[in-house]
Amino acid sequence: MQNQKYLNNKHFSKTMHNNIKLIAGSSNPSLAAEIAQHLHVPLTKVKVSNFIDGETYVKIEENMREADVFVIQSTCYPVNENLMQLLIMVDALRRASAKRITAVIPYYGYARQDRKATSREPITAKLVANLLVAAGVNRVLTVDLHADQIQGFFDIPLDHLRAQPVIVDYLKQKKLNDFVVVAPDEGRVKENFDLAEKLHLPLVIIAKQRSKKHLDTFEMIKILGEVKDKHVIMIDDQIQTGGTLYNAVKILKENGAKEIHLACTHPIFAGPATERMSDPAITEVIVTNTIPLRAEIPNVIMISIAPLLGEAIRRIHEGESVSSLFE
Ligand code: R5P
């Protein structure tokens, strides 16, 4: 599904157009193709293969001298493979005398480990930032980082796009009578509060207290607000196992909620997520295409963020404001 808002982008000025190069990693070819189509810029030919022992081989098949290069690669499943491929592509581009290399990372993996929660743990979100810069990345364009502070892990420019406006545009096409927005727990109040404000809907919060003995069970659950006979929308930055939203769905159903609409930016969909998200209690799961889906799920609605990313790339290339995209 295309989001109309960003479709009327200006075309590149002729002088600049020649100098831009788009390169697709293998994580999300359909998103890269859509971005290329949106920008009317062909994808650069790149050969990617594996040596017999599994090492990655990359060859850029076109001249990159003085080019403004955008490498599109989500560091989603298979995470290590996609990350390493991105690093190797950037190394090849730097050695081929590209003028500027922007890593377009619609989904920035390894982001959950953004601090030491206990002793002797790594901070992988920072490690990945260091690796990207060491490889030769000059700037980053990404969408809905798991934690805003990851922006500060980079000492190079980083543009952080939000997918929420694209999801809001989709939801606004519905008649939202008798809808409420629900935060599935205290940690997700902020984004659900923002959503409720944009849709002019009340916010309901599910407050939980974990058991001291069994950390995966809850001693007390309170719903702050009314969900009986209401339709519900819940948003999260990502669905990994689906556990966070699925547990909330069960609580809401027990408390008399009617339709339940879920939304997230990054459909990681690992482990039991596909089964959970297919539950008939869930009317639809609205996701963006930062990550390609690995399985067909009938109630999943995928909204494309290619126009948003394409427009951001155009603005970066032409030195225009990216933040004004959201005004
Ligand atoms: C947590 O901080 C995130 O915002 C998501 O709620 C979480 O990653 C979702 O994971 P899962 O789908 O496994 O509950």
Side-chain angles (χ1 to χ4, degrees):
M1 179 174 296
Q2 287 258 311
N3 185 276
Q4 295 301 313
K5 196 166 167 182
Y6 309 102
L7 284 180
N8 295 326
N9 68 317
K10 288 185 235 159
H11 288 174
F12 290 106
S13 54
K14 276 203 176 104
T15 45
M16 302 202 87
H17 189 169
N18 297 332
N19 210 18
I20 186 170
K21 299 282 181 189
L22 295 180
I23 295 190
S26 43
S27 65
N28 199 339
S30 58
L31 175 64
E34 257 190 81
I35 293 172
Q37 198 179 16
H38 179 82
L39 289 170
H40 308 287
V41 172
L43 289 168
T44 294
K45 287 198 183 69
V46 182
K47 186 174 170 194
V48 181
S49 58
N50 287 99
F51 290 104
I52 197 157
D53 60 355
E55 286 182 6
T56 300
Y57 172 77
V58 166
K59 179 169 167 52
I60 316 288
E61 310 250 45
E62 295 175 27
N63 178 17
M64 290 291 120
R65 282 184 193 275
E66 296 305 308
D68 188 13
V69 186
F70 293 81
V71 188
I72 303 160
Q73 178 81 318
S74 275
T75 47
C76 56
Y77 178 88
V79 182
N80 294 344
E81 186 69 27
N82 286 333
L83 174 62
M84 200 61 207
Q85 190 189 88
L86 172 61
L87 295 170
I88 292 171
M89 279 182 172
V90 171
D91 184 74
L93 288 163
R94 182 170 52 86
R95 292 172 196 283
S97 305
K99 187 171 189 180
R100 180 173 68 172
I101 304 167
T102 301
V104 181
I105 311 177
Y107 168 69
Y108 185 88
Y110 275 120
R112 276 183 297 268
Q113 296 173 73
D114 59 355
R115 72 205 147 87
K116 277 177 72 166
T118 65
S119 47
R120 297 180 295 283
E121 282 188 344
I123 304 180
T124 56
K126 172 65 179 153
L127 173 65
V128 170
N130 288 347
L131 290 171
L132 289 166
V133 173
V137 169
N138 302 114
R139 65 184 302 141
V140 173
L141 172 62
T142 189
V143 185
D144 285 337
L145 286 165
H146 185 58
D148 281 345
Q149 63 268 23
I150 295 170
Q151 293 173 63
F153 294 178
F154 290 88
D155 286 328
I156 54 173
L158 180 145
D159 289 298
H160 188 199
L161 303 182
R162 302 284 178 188
Q164 206 198 62
V166 176
I167 293 171
V168 166
D169 284 349
Y170 169 79
L171 287 168
K172 275 188 174 165
Q173 291 165 18
K174 295 179 187 290
K175 286 205 177 81
L176 295 174
N177 303 332
D178 289 329
F179 270 76
V180 292
V181 174
V182 175
D185 57 35
E186 297 91 325
R188 273 143 281 249
V189 170
K190 190 182 172 303
E191 57 263 54
N192 281 285
F193 180 67
D194 282 354
L195 184 67
E197 287 220 304
K198 290 195 180 101
L199 296 175
H200 308 291
L201 293 174
L203 176 71
V204 173
I205 299 170
I206 301 178
K208 301 174 196 163
Q209 190 167 317
R210 281 192 190 275
S211 155
K212 286 197 178 95
K213 283 190 196 143
H214 308 286
L215 286 178
D216 53 348
T217 56
F218 296 103
E219 270 172 357
M220 198 178 68
I221 295 170
K222 260 195 167 179
I223 300 184
L224 310 175
E226 189 54 68
V227 294
K228 189 165 171 23
D229 294 328
K230 300 283 182 197
H231 303 309
V232 166
I233 303 169
M234 279 190 285
I235 196 165
D236 205 343
D237 65 327
Q238 58 187 38
I239 295 175
Q240 188 179 201
T241 65
T244 307
L245 291 179
Y246 190 62
N247 287 335
V249 167
K250 285 193 281 185
I251 295 165
L252 291 167
K253 278 288 170 189
E254 282 161 19
N255 284 273
K258 288 159 94 179
E259 287 178 15
I260 299 193
H261 302 251
L262 305 180
C264 79
T265 304
H266 307 299
I268 301 171
F269 284 17
T274 301
E275 194 187 330
R276 285 172 171 165
M277 292 301 110
S278 309
D279 191 303
I282 301 169
T283 305
E284 63 178 348
V285 187
I286 306 150
V287 304
T288 80
N289 56 348
T290 57
I291 299 176
L293 289 182
R294 282 184 275 157
E296 283 274 316
I297 311 177
N299 58 348
V300 168
I301 305 286
M302 188 173 256
I303 306 176
S304 179
I305 52 151
L308 177 66
L309 281 169
E311 180 59 10
I313 289 172
R314 187 192 68 75
R315 287 174 183 229
I316 291 169
H317 180 65
E318 300 213 327
E320 291 180 19
S321 165
V322 172
S323 63
S324 61
L325 201 48
F326 296 104
E327 283 158 13

